[in-house]
Amino acid sequence: MPQILFLPNKIILPYGAKIHTKIGETILNAALKNNIQIEHACEKSCACTTCHCIIKSGFSSLSKCSEKEEDTLDKAWKVEEKSRLSCQAKIGKKNIVVEIPYYSSNYTK
């Protein structure tokens, strides 16, 4: 069972978290099932960037990024090479490390 390590985020997750999830589960769904409240204003439809996350380790294990996701990510604040929308990125067989940015298109902290 793959593991997701969420790095600390002083607003959403001050101490970070380590969770186990199923292969094929999205990062967002795994987080929500474990009471990690990642923003998702478009209700997981790949229409906003509020669930933007940065994959610090294990990026290649995730599902491929669709063209729609790439186009949506172009609108995210401080997008990085290993940025994904957590509502779209499905977990593979390897463990991953995720950073939840302190900002989104909905708010800045």
Side-chain angles (χ1 to χ4, degrees):
M1 191 172 251
Q3 174 181 284
I4 304 173
L5 173 63
F6 287 95
L7 298 176
N9 174 301
K10 60 185 166 186
I11 299 161
I12 298 170
L13 201 59
Y15 303 106
K18 189 183 295 186
I19 64 171
H20 292 279
T21 189
K22 298 179 204 169
I23 294 172
E25 182 87 77
T26 65
I27 295 170
L28 178 60
N29 284 342
L32 294 174
K33 286 178 182 177
N34 286 276
N35 296 315
I36 300 169
Q37 299 303 313
I38 298 175
E39 283 269 340
H40 53 287
C42 72
E43 293 300 318
K44 309 174 194 174
S45 67
C46 194
C48 73
T49 61
T50 58
C51 72
H52 168 230
C53 64
I54 301 161
I55 310 305
K56 295 297 191 178
S57 177
F59 185 83
S60 63
S61 179
L62 298 173
S63 60
K64 298 285 183 195
C65 193
S66 70
E67 189 172 323
K68 181 177 181 181
E69 182 182 356
E70 288 176 353
D71 290 345
T72 304
L73 271 171
D74 285 342
K75 301 170 193 160
W77 288 20
K78 306 253 183 181
V79 71
E80 295 184 12
E81 184 179 332
K82 294 187 177 179
S83 288
R84 292 295 304 266
L85 296 179
S86 64
C87 71
Q88 301 298 303
K90 292 182 182 175
I91 305 298
K93 294 179 181 179
K94 295 183 181 176
N95 296 341
I96 63 169
V97 177
V98 175
E99 177 185 350
I100 303 167
Y102 297 121
Y103 42 78
S104 77
S105 56
N106 273 6
Y107 64 92
T108 308
K109 301 260 181 179

